[in-house]
Structures are given as structure tokens and as C-alpha cells.
Amino acid sequence: CSNPESFNAHLDAINDPYFVACLDLGHAEMRGLDTSAVEMIEKLGSRLQALHIHDNDLHHDSHQIPFSMQIDFEPIVKALKAIHYDGYFTLEADQFMKAYNRNNAFEGVKLLDGGFLLGIFLKQLIFYRKEGYTKHSARLYITTKKGRWITKWH
């Protein structure tokens, strides 16, 4: 689904309230798709229940940690607040770890595990969550190719 109309058409065709949308922010922001993450978020609305979060150079599927490349996350966060997003977050920054080796891998994992750059993204949503707009605690899933660290936050 490369545009919101196609995405919603697929959801309509399945017509099952338990089949929800998962939006990959990095893919939605890549040039040539004639859409943006903000447009997808706005048009999917409450159907959006999961996000794949990573950064890129707007041309290549780089899977880097947020705020390390070209995606402007501020309007994305505003759009998520506007639809009262309370779904899942999956960090897909497996390429980020390639910059680390066996001697300094722990430093990279610390950044990924609820880390500094992703924290900036999530911090922007905390005010919205503390104001009582959500019914559930959120789960932040941080994934790599070889495993998953799971952090629960409220």
C-alpha cells in the first residue's frame, strides 16, 4: 500500500475490526511514493495501530535510528497526537548497529534500548499520554535482526 487510498481500500476489503494498519514511517517518507507519513497517519486515523520507526535519507531504505538522517519527525509526531495514537512502536534500526563492533556494541545497544535519539521522538508523545488520552499503557518494541528488547512504558 503505497498511498492512503490503497491502504484504506485493502482494510475495507478485509472488513475485520481486528485487522489494523501498521505504517512504516521510513518507507512512507521515501521520495517517489507521492505521499508522506503525515498524510498516511491522517487518512488512516484510528485504523493505525502500529508503527515501524526508522530514519533514512528520503531515497534509500537505510533503517537508521530516528533523528540521524533526513526524516522530519516533528510533523509526524503532531499528526500522531492529532489522531490520539495509542498503538505500538517498533524501532527498525538494524543498520544502525553495523557501525559498532564487538568492542563497542554495548554502546550502540544502550542507544537503541529506549535510547537517546528514540527518546526524543517518544518524549514528544509523553505529554499527550499523560493528559489521559490513552486507555492502555503503550509498548515500545525495539527490534534487531537477531532479537528483540521489549520496554514497557506508561
Side-chain angles (χ1 to χ4, degrees):
C1 304
S2 62
N3 62 55
E5 292 76 21
S6 173
F7 210 141
N8 277 314
H10 281 83
L11 293 170
D12 291 341
I14 293 168
N15 194 26
D16 183 334
Y18 295 101
F19 193 81
V20 297
C22 175
L23 178 63
D24 189 305
L25 298 178
H27 296 171
E29 287 294 304
M30 290 175 66
R31 299 293 183 242
L33 294 178
D34 197 30
T35 190
S36 69
V38 170
E39 180 183 17
M40 296 289 272
I41 291 164
E42 291 171 348
K43 299 231 173 123
L44 289 169
S46 64
R47 293 175 137 180
L48 181 59
Q49 294 296 313
L51 293 173
H52 289 183
I53 305 167
H54 57 96
D55 210 338
N56 63 45
D57 64 2
L58 307 179
H59 300 283
H60 302 95
D61 193 17
S62 308
H63 285 263
Q64 292 293 328
I65 196 163
F67 298 94
S68 66
M69 295 191 84
Q70 299 290 315
I71 293 177
D72 183 2
F73 284 96
E74 185 175 343
I76 293 170
V77 169
K78 287 180 180 179
L80 292 169
K81 286 181 180 183
I83 67 163
H84 303 291
Y85 181 76
D86 67 353
Y88 292 90
F89 298 90
T90 301
L91 176 64
E92 288 191 319
D94 54 291
Q95 297 300 309
F96 172 77
M97 286 303 294
K98 287 187 174 183
Y100 296 89
N101 60 43
R102 64 187 316 199
N103 296 323
N104 63 359
F106 186 69
E107 294 304 314
V109 170
K110 284 195 308 189
L111 287 173
L112 287 176
D113 191 14
F116 173 71
L117 295 171
L118 182 62
I120 294 170
F121 177 81
L122 295 175
K123 189 171 125 179
Q124 295 179 51
L125 289 173
I126 289 174
F127 172 75
Y128 147 70
R129 291 189 183 282
K130 285 189 177 177
E131 290 299 305
Y133 289 111
T134 61
K135 296 175 269 185
H136 314 289
S137 63
R139 286 180 186 86
L140 164 63
Y141 288 86
I142 301 172
T143 62
T144 68
K145 283 189 174 184
K146 294 192 176 189
R148 178 181 285 166
W149 294 273
I150 300 173
T151 306
K152 210 174 181 183
W153 62 283
H154 304 275

